[in-house]
Amino acid sequence: MRSDMLKEGPSRAPHRSLLKALSITDSEMQRPFIGVVNSYSEYIPGHMHLREIGEAVKAGIRNAGGVPFEFQTIGVCDGLAMNHPGMKYSLPSRELIADSIEVMLTAHPMDAVVFIPNCDKIVPGMLLAACRLNIPAIFISGGPMMSGKCDSSKYGLSEMFEAVGSFSAGKIDAQKLLELETKACPTCGSCSGMYTANSMNCLTEAIGMSLPGTATCLAVSAKRRRLAKMAGERVLELLKEDIKPLDIITPRSLENALRSEMALGCSTNTVLHLTAIAYEAGCPINMEIIDDISKTTPQICKLNPAGQTFIEDLEEMGGIEAVLKELSKADLINTDCLTVSGTVAERIADAPDADGAVIRKLDNPHRKDGGIAVLRGNIAVDGAVVKQGAVAPEMMQHRGPAKCFDCEEDASEAILGGKIEAGDVVVIRYEGPKGGPGMREMLNPTASLVGMGLDKSVALITDGRFSGATRGAAIGHVSPEAAAGGLIGLIQDGDMINVDITNRTLTLEVDDAEIEKRRAAWVAPQKKLKGYLARYYQHVSSGSQGAVFLKDEDF
């Protein structure tokens, strides 16, 4: 066993003495040592209950004859980090999480590991670590919160950001805003819609790294605690069977994840994260592959913010396994893929059939193609992404004059100040992986546009990214980014931009001679960076590459 590096033989007597200081007994020394990596904190609603989930996991490990050792990772709540400098640290935290887990589980060898994430960058950060370490592993997330309810309607965090725009436009008063904020997030858990956290938990289950039901059952449910115990027990079986993450995370299972992503209408952030996970797993995927899968996968779910159904509704109708089952009817799922609990075929055999409403049948999809589209054109030579399943039909094609901003704050001020008009294309640049640095999410400006009633007449493009809570004609991940000399940095106010989501193009209507003139005069803005962001800036790759730290052989 891997933990024998700590505890076997006379030369490890000093190590055993330290373990005995932890109250480990001689009999426990003979058992498997299982790491429990928990992102619990008191500052994040999606994580505040993870100590309890951790205790259930450790109970399961002990039930199966293992010895659990728990430690914590950092975690950033994108909702709390939104619209201030803290968001610069959200995406960069993914790499720190992966690195810190690598450090802990290499310095203190474990035989297997249970990962307990829940929100935004924590799920992919832990998946990166699982690929890198490649020891038997299983995931049990903290689960989604219940939706909020007001005036007999369900709503979530996205509507809260939109309410700020409505308040600024005089559509609601301060009392209504207070009522909405009080009811929007009624329980612990990841935010209730198909935002990034729930998207990544769904894709983790689709890949096969968590037990069936893990992605969708509510954070407050007894089922969540039972699944946590079962995950603790199951990891010992994975150890006995010698099943490791890279036996599960393969090109074929990543295809399953991409198919699920398109069928569910997931957050555009999943493109970044799946690209990064595939890179770490040694089976890279690119924007062409993602676009090809999008074009051939129907969107059969439309969850908040794109629709009025929530993760709790998806759970009631069978969750991810029911989605996979419906997709498999058109041979869109590789059912022979291995998971942490049998093959995909075995997992979906007893799943309910699609109900036709929350999970539509293949013959009546919301869209014939996927919820996410990859756009290309002179503005985005290396690609850009849009959550097309959450775009109003009238905005699938839009041509309008640019209004340019070099940071999110300036754009938000202009939107809330009434300086954006119907027909405009808002351009926010120098917010990419290097330009930010950190590739901030743009939920505040997009939600403000919705709240002010401009989402059906204004498009927004950025080299930054969007929250999974974003809806509207919001095109992100524009690559190359402005800080790397991308064309988005050369756009001027009044330039005509053609956004054609239907035909997947993004075009600046300025002639080549003028572009070259601007390029000759362009100077990259210099930012005074320090600490982790300075190091991140030096190493991070393009958004089209997943904003990863490239390996030496790939420079």
Side-chain angles (χ1 to χ4, degrees):
M1 292 191 293
R2 195 167 178 265
S3 63
D4 287 347
M5 288 187 278
L6 286 178
K7 59 187 184 180
E8 271 296 304
S11 67
R12 294 299 186 259
H15 303 67
R16 290 193 296 274
S17 68
L18 289 169
L19 292 170
K20 287 181 176 179
L22 299 175
S23 77
I24 300 299
T25 66
D26 288 331
S27 64
E28 287 176 318
M29 295 283 188
Q30 308 307 311
R31 302 174 193 170
F33 281 10
I34 309 298
V36 178
V37 185
N38 197 334
S39 57
Y40 163 78
S41 82
E42 294 181 341
Y43 206 3
I44 301 177
H47 295 194
M48 62 180 291
H49 62 304
L50 295 189
R51 179 177 286 171
E52 182 183 350
I53 300 298
E55 290 303 316
V57 166
K58 289 186 286 186
I61 291 169
R62 293 188 186 101
N63 288 347
V67 183
F69 294 88
E70 184 178 7
F71 66 90
Q72 270 68 51
T73 69
I74 63 167
V76 173
C77 172
D78 281 19
L80 292 174
M82 197 70 67
N83 199 34
H84 62 80
M87 181 51 78
K88 291 179 182 289
Y89 287 86
S90 175
L91 183 58
S93 74
R94 185 187 73 184
E95 315 310 312
L96 274 180
I97 290 165
D99 289 349
S100 65
I101 294 168
E102 176 191 354
V103 168
M104 285 294 289
L105 291 180
T106 305
H108 313 110
M110 299 285 140
D111 300 304
V113 59
V114 180
F115 291 101
I116 309 176
N118 212 29
C119 295
D120 300 89
K121 311 308 165 293
I122 298 92
V123 182
M126 290 186 178
L127 282 165
L128 291 175
C131 292
R132 194 178 301 173
L133 291 161
N134 200 33
I135 61 175
I138 194 169
F139 280 65
I140 171 66
S141 65
M145 68 170 64
M146 294 176 65
S147 62
K149 293 180 177 63
C150 186
D151 300 330
S152 301
S153 297
K154 291 182 177 182
Y155 71 109
L157 186 66
S158 59
E159 285 81 4
M160 272 314 308
F161 279 90
E162 292 165 8
V164 175
S166 297
F167 176 75
S168 297
K171 295 182 177 181
I172 61 173
D173 60 18
Q175 186 60 40
K176 187 63 176 181
L177 186 66
L178 176 62
E179 180 186 5
L180 289 168
E181 76 176 62
T182 303
K183 295 178 179 179
C185 301
T187 71
C188 62
S190 49
C191 296
S192 53
M194 189 54 80
Y195 312 153
T196 304
N198 288 326
S199 293
M200 284 308 304
N201 284 328
C202 288
L203 299 189
T204 300
E205 185 175 329
I207 289 171
M209 285 300 296
S210 61
L211 293 171
T214 297
T216 53
C217 76
L218 288 171
V220 294
S221 67
K223 180 180 176 181
R224 173 70 49 188
R225 277 78 184 153
R226 292 196 302 271
L227 280 168
K229 286 184 183 178
M230 293 163 62
E233 293 170 349
R234 180 60 192 158
V235 78
L236 272 297
E237 295 300 314
L238 293 172
L239 176 61
K240 291 176 185 175
E241 297 165 15
D242 194 32
I243 296 174
K244 300 182 180 73
L246 295 185
D247 298 321
I248 296 171
I249 303 174
T250 66
R252 288 166 61 77
S253 71
L254 287 166
E255 181 184 343
N256 288 347
L258 286 166
R259 295 282 185 195
S260 302
E261 173 186 55
M262 300 305 169
L264 291 163
C266 288
S267 163
T268 52
N269 283 318
T270 56
V271 172
L272 276 177
H273 300 320
L274 286 177
T275 304
I277 292 160
Y279 179 73
E280 191 68 55
C283 45
I285 53 178
N286 56 35
M287 300 295 267
E288 286 78 15
I289 292 172
I290 294 169
D291 198 34
D292 287 345
I293 288 175
S294 171
K295 290 174 180 176
T296 56
T297 309
Q299 183 179 357
I300 57 175
C301 296
K302 206 162 192 175
L303 294 110
N304 177 269
Q308 296 303 307
T309 54
F310 289 78
I311 300 296
E312 61 199 48
D313 303 310
L314 181 60
E315 161 71 6
E316 188 176 347
M317 296 304 155
I320 299 308
E321 308 309 315
V323 173
L324 294 175
K325 183 175 182 178
E326 184 63 19
L327 292 176
S328 72
K329 294 176 181 178
D331 294 325
L332 294 174
I333 295 297
N334 299 308
T335 58
D336 59 340
C337 284
L338 183 66
T339 77
V340 292
S341 57
T343 64
V344 172
E346 291 167 338
R347 284 163 61 125
I348 67 175
D350 296 325
D353 291 324
D355 68 301
V358 174
I359 306 172
R360 286 197 177 184
K361 305 280 188 179
L362 288 172
D363 60 4
N364 182 36
H366 292 283
R367 302 183 54 88
K368 292 182 179 180
D369 56 356
I372 293 175
V374 176
L375 310 187
R376 291 187 182 277
N378 60 356
I379 297 177
V381 175
D382 294 333
V385 295
V386 60
K387 190 174 184 176
Q388 65 174 345
V391 176
E394 54 264 52
M395 289 301 293
M396 291 296 288
Q397 293 177 312
H398 177 81
R399 181 178 179 270
K403 287 193 176 172
C404 302
F405 305 93
D406 288 350
C407 67
E408 177 192 2
E409 288 85 354
D410 290 350
S412 292
E413 182 180 349
I415 293 167
L416 294 174
K419 296 179 181 178
I420 303 303
E421 302 173 348
D424 286 343
V425 177
V426 176
V427 178
I428 307 177
R429 67 262 186 115
Y430 299 108
E431 289 285 9
K434 286 186 178 293
M439 204 177 188
R440 287 195 287 180
E441 287 187 346
M442 302 289 160
L443 178 56
N444 201 70
T446 57
S448 296
L449 289 171
V450 174
M452 298 180 78
L454 292 171
D455 58 307
K456 295 181 180 179
S457 60
V458 171
L460 188 152
I461 68 172
T462 180
D463 52 9
R465 60 194 179 90
F466 297 112
S467 166
T470 288
R471 60 188 172 108
I475 296 97
H477 307 195
V478 170
S479 300
E481 62 175 293
L487 185 60
I488 189 173
L490 306 181
I491 301 172
Q492 296 181 0
D493 286 348
D495 287 347
M496 295 305 293
I497 295 176
N498 193 329
V499 178
D500 189 343
I501 299 172
T502 300
N503 294 301
R504 304 186 181 224
T505 59
L506 183 60
T507 309
L508 175 65
E509 296 180 356
V510 173
D511 65 66
D512 292 343
E514 175 63 19
I515 289 173
E516 289 310 309
K517 179 181 175 182
R518 295 180 190 181
R519 192 178 300 282
W522 176 78
V523 178
Q526 299 298 309
K527 295 188 177 183
K528 294 181 179 180
L529 302 174
K530 59 183 180 180
Y532 179 53
L533 284 184
R535 298 195 298 276
Y536 185 82
Y537 170 84
Q538 292 171 346
H539 296 288
V540 70
S541 69
S542 163
S544 65
Q545 296 175 292
V548 298
F549 290 177
L550 294 175
K551 301 169 187 175
D552 289 344
E553 62 267 23
D554 293 322
F555 278 103

